[in-house]
Amino acid sequence: MEDLPSILERTHRGDYGPIVARVIRLMGGDFAAAEEVVQEAFAAALQQWPRAGIPAEPRAWLMRTAHHKAVDRVRRDVRLAARVDTLETRARVEQSSAPALDEADWRDTPDDSLRLLFTCCHPALGQEAQVALALRTLCGLTTEEVARAFLVPTATMAQRLVRAQRKIRDARIPYVVPEVDALGERTQGVLHTLYLLFSEGYAATEGDELLRVDLCAEALRLGRLARSLLPQQAEVASLLALMLLHHSRRRARVSADGGLVLLDRQDRALWDREQMTEGLAQLDAALALGARGVFTHQAAIAALHARAARPEDTDWEQIAALYDRLCVLAPGPVVELNRAAAVAMARGPEQGLALVDDLEASGRLTEYYLLPAARADLLRRMGRGAEAAVAYRRALALVRTAPERRFLEERLREVLSSP
C-alpha cells in the first residue's frame, strides 16, 4: 500500500502545475505568491492527512485548500495596502471564493493551464525566460530540473525565474489566452515549452523512473489545444507529430522491471500503432502546410524509426542527413551528439567516435552524462573495452536516474568481463 509521503510526492509531481495555474488567476497574476500558497497547501496536507486520513480526492482537497489560502492572503493584502483597486480585487475574490471545488469542477475548467502557458510566453519576456517560467510553474518542474534542461547552474536559473515573475507582475501582463491575431508572437515560446515538458516526461532527468507519463500526457493535451488554436501553423503540427511518434514507443522503452530498453532492442509489437498513425498524419499535415522547421526535421527522424519494421531496416543515412540539417537550423551540442550517434549507425562507430571526441574537446557538455555514455558505447562496439570502461565510469558519475544507472552498470560489467 502506498504511504503518505509517496502519495504526496506523486500528487505534487502530477498536479502542482495545474493547481498553480488555477491559483495564479485568483491572485491577479502574482506567480510568486501563488507558488507560496500552493506550497502551504501541500504543507497543510502533510500535517492533516496523517490525523484525518487521506481524502478520496487528494487533488481536489489541495485545490480547495490552496484556494482558501489564496483568498485569505488577497483579503489580507487588500486590508493592509488599501489599494485604489480595492473594489475590483474584492469582486474577484468574492466571485472566486463562493463554491468549493471538486473533481467535476476540475475536469470542466481545463483552460487555466493554457492561460498560464500563454501568459508565461508573453513577448515582454525573453524566450528562454518564457520557457523556464512555464516549466517551473505550469509543469511543476523543480528549479534544478529546469536548470538542467537549459544546461545552466541552478543559481543562475533561480535568478532568471525571479526576474521573469517580477516582470510579469510589474508590467501587469494579463493572465489570459490572447486574441487570435496575437497568438503568433507567442507560438515559439509555447512550442519550446511543450517540447521540453514532453522531453522531461519521456526521458526524466532525475528519479527512480525513466518515464513520467503524467508530463507526457499533459504536453500532448496542451499540444492538441495549441493545434486547434493555430491550425495553419505548420510547426505546431510538427511538434504534435513528434510527441505522438515518441510517445507511441513508451511501452516498449521500459522493461518489466523498469529498466531502459534501447530502440534497437525494443519489442516493436508493443508500439502503439494508433498513436503512431496519428503522429504520421500530423507530420503529413505539417508538410502540406510547408513545414521546414526544427520540429519538422525531428518528427521526420521519428517517422523513419516508426516506419522501420526491424532495427536493420532503419534508414540511418537519411537520419544522419536530417541531423546535418538540424545542426544548421538549431545548432547546439546536444544536436551534434545525436548527429554523431546517427553517423556511427550509418557509417561505422569510428566516424561517430571522431565527432564525439571533437565535441568532448570543445568542453560544451562536461556535465551531460550522455556524452561519455555515447563515447563508451562506440568504444565498446569497436572492441576497446578498457577505454569503454573509463567512459562508462565517467557517465555513471553524472547520471541521475536509477534505470539509466542500472543500464550503464550492466554495460560496464559486460566490458569488464569481456576478454
Side-chain angles (χ1 to χ4, degrees):
M1 185 175 179
E2 199 172 14
D3 58 19
L4 176 62
S6 299
I7 292 173
L8 268 176
E9 182 183 356
R10 176 169 50 78
T11 307
H12 190 276
R13 287 164 71 90
D15 298 326
Y16 176 85
I19 295 173
V20 169
R22 179 74 67 90
V23 174
I24 285 176
R25 178 157 57 96
L26 174 62
M27 304 195 74
D30 190 333
F31 282 58
E35 285 199 276
E36 288 176 6
V37 163
V38 174
Q39 293 292 357
E40 289 173 6
F42 275 93
L46 192 59
Q47 290 183 339
Q48 296 180 31
W49 290 3
R51 297 194 306 271
I54 298 171
E57 296 177 352
R59 181 172 63 176
W61 188 98
L62 288 162
M63 184 67 244
R64 281 194 299 273
T65 302
H67 184 97
H68 292 317
K69 287 182 178 295
V71 169
D72 290 343
R73 181 176 291 209
V74 172
R75 283 174 171 156
R76 186 173 65 242
D77 288 348
V78 168
R79 286 197 300 270
L80 292 174
R83 293 174 179 167
V84 175
D85 59 352
T86 294
L87 292 177
E88 178 185 345
T89 306
R90 281 180 176 165
R92 187 179 72 240
V93 171
E94 296 303 330
Q95 182 181 15
S96 302
S97 62
L101 294 172
D102 58 21
E103 198 69 12
D105 294 321
W106 187 282
R107 287 193 300 271
D108 293 341
T109 55
D111 58 330
D112 276 320
S113 297
L114 199 63
R115 185 180 293 114
L116 176 55
L117 178 59
F118 275 98
T119 300
C120 290
C121 296
H122 191 280
L125 301 176
Q127 191 173 110
E128 282 201 358
Q130 295 174 12
V131 177
L133 187 59
L135 290 173
R136 176 70 189 95
T137 53
L138 172 65
C139 310
L141 301 190
T142 65
T143 303
E144 290 80 3
E145 288 171 327
V146 179
R148 281 200 296 276
F150 284 89
L151 304 176
V152 300
T154 301
T156 301
M157 181 52 65
Q159 292 171 357
R160 287 183 191 175
L161 291 169
V162 169
R163 285 198 295 269
Q165 291 179 346
R166 192 176 297 150
K167 188 156 191 174
I168 286 179
R169 183 196 63 198
D170 294 346
R172 293 179 177 272
I173 292 173
Y175 187 58
V176 296
V177 175
E179 298 297 326
V180 172
D181 58 359
L183 289 174
E185 61 186 0
R186 307 193 195 189
T187 301
Q188 284 307 309
V190 168
L191 296 184
H192 196 181
T193 299
L194 293 181
Y195 175 68
L196 290 179
L197 170 61
F198 181 84
S199 298
E200 180 61 26
Y202 191 70
T205 55
E206 191 169 46
D208 295 330
E209 297 178 354
L210 195 63
L211 292 174
R212 290 183 60 182
V213 177
D214 55 327
L215 293 184
C216 291
E218 180 67 359
L220 281 168
R221 186 184 74 83
L222 293 172
R224 286 192 166 98
L225 284 172
R227 178 85 170 101
S228 66
L229 282 172
L230 299 160
Q232 298 305 312
Q233 291 276 347
E235 279 294 272
V236 180
S238 294
L239 175 60
L240 183 56
L242 174 63
M243 294 191 295
L244 286 165
L245 289 168
H246 278 313
H247 203 234
S248 69
R249 299 199 298 262
R250 65 191 180 282
R251 287 197 296 266
R253 192 162 174 268
V254 181
S255 63
D257 62 357
L260 168 67
V261 182
L262 295 184
L263 184 58
D264 62 343
R265 297 188 178 185
Q266 290 178 7
D267 180 357
R268 299 185 180 216
L270 294 176
W271 289 2
D272 185 332
R273 294 293 165 186
E274 184 176 345
Q275 205 161 63
M276 194 168 282
T277 300
E278 184 186 357
L280 293 172
Q282 288 292 339
L283 178 58
D284 288 343
L287 293 172
L289 289 167
R292 298 291 185 272
V294 171
F295 293 123
T296 307
H297 283 72
Q298 293 186 69
I301 291 170
L304 287 170
H305 288 301
R307 290 182 169 121
R310 303 171 303 165
E312 54 268 35
D313 296 333
T314 307
D315 188 345
W316 285 108
E317 277 293 353
Q318 191 171 349
I319 290 174
L322 286 166
Y323 274 118
D324 287 346
R325 183 60 183 156
L326 267 177
C327 285
V328 175
L329 290 173
V334 175
V335 176
E336 291 178 40
L337 181 61
N338 290 334
R339 173 174 172 264
V343 167
M345 293 302 296
R347 302 162 201 165
E350 293 81 2
Q351 291 196 35
L353 181 62
L355 295 173
V356 170
D357 284 346
D358 288 345
L359 189 54
E360 186 173 42
S362 73
R364 287 179 292 164
L365 287 177
T366 55
E367 300 301 318
Y368 192 59
Y369 95 92
L370 285 174
L371 176 63
R375 190 168 190 277
D377 184 61
L378 295 173
L379 290 165
R380 179 188 63 83
R381 288 161 55 188
M382 294 165 64
R384 294 161 60 177
E387 295 170 83
V390 172
Y392 277 126
R393 290 191 178 100
R394 170 66 180 149
L396 280 165
L398 297 172
V399 70
R400 290 177 174 272
T401 67
E404 288 168 308
R405 172 173 296 282
R406 292 198 300 272
F407 175 83
L408 291 170
E409 288 171 343
E410 182 180 341
R411 281 290 169 88
L412 175 60
R413 284 193 295 272
E414 286 178 13
V415 297
L416 289 175
S417 62
S418 297

